[in-house]
Amino acid sequence: MFFGQLRYIVVIAIPKSRELKTKEPQNICLAVIRQVIASLPNSQGMPIPSYSQNGALDPADIKSIQCVVGRVKGPLIWGLVDRSGPLAHAVFAEAD
């Protein structure tokens, strides 16, 4: 399981190009995510995922983001509120 903080959304315009073999202009959307070093729940520890340290920045295709989670600040760590599950799924709508 991967958790991270969305930092930036980068849109890259790719023009029509013979060298790139693109027949029409298109956009590529990247998400720049700050990884968090998460501790997953287990029977001996906290009942929710948590983290106390940030990791590296990681660029990813924005379509790879599966769900959004919240976070709650505790005394020493951040608790992650993960509402994903079997009904959570990505939906992509075409631009009008």
Side-chain angles (χ1 to χ4, degrees):
M1 194 174 290
F2 171 79
F3 292 103
Q5 179 186 33
L6 178 63
R7 301 295 297 173
Y8 309 102
I9 296 175
V10 180
V11 179
I12 301 170
I14 306 293
K16 177 179 170 181
S17 168
R18 199 172 324 139
E19 293 86 9
L20 297 174
K21 297 180 182 173
T22 54
K23 296 180 181 176
E24 58 186 47
Q26 49 186 286
N27 292 325
I28 296 175
C29 294
L30 298 176
V32 180
I33 300 168
R34 169 77 63 195
Q35 296 177 13
V36 297
I37 302 166
S39 300
L40 300 178
N42 58 41
S43 59
Q44 293 83 27
M46 290 191 43
I48 60 172
S50 61
Y51 76 96
S52 60
Q53 290 183 318
N54 289 323
L57 285 176
D58 185 26
D61 186 336
I62 202 159
K63 293 178 184 176
S64 69
I65 297 174
Q66 294 182 2
C67 70
V68 177
V69 300
R71 64 183 186 161
V72 179
K73 185 162 178 57
L76 300 174
I77 60 172
W78 287 90
L80 297 168
V81 181
D82 184 358
R83 298 293 301 237
S84 64
L87 298 177
H89 61 278
V91 176
F92 301 102
E94 294 295 323
D96 292 332

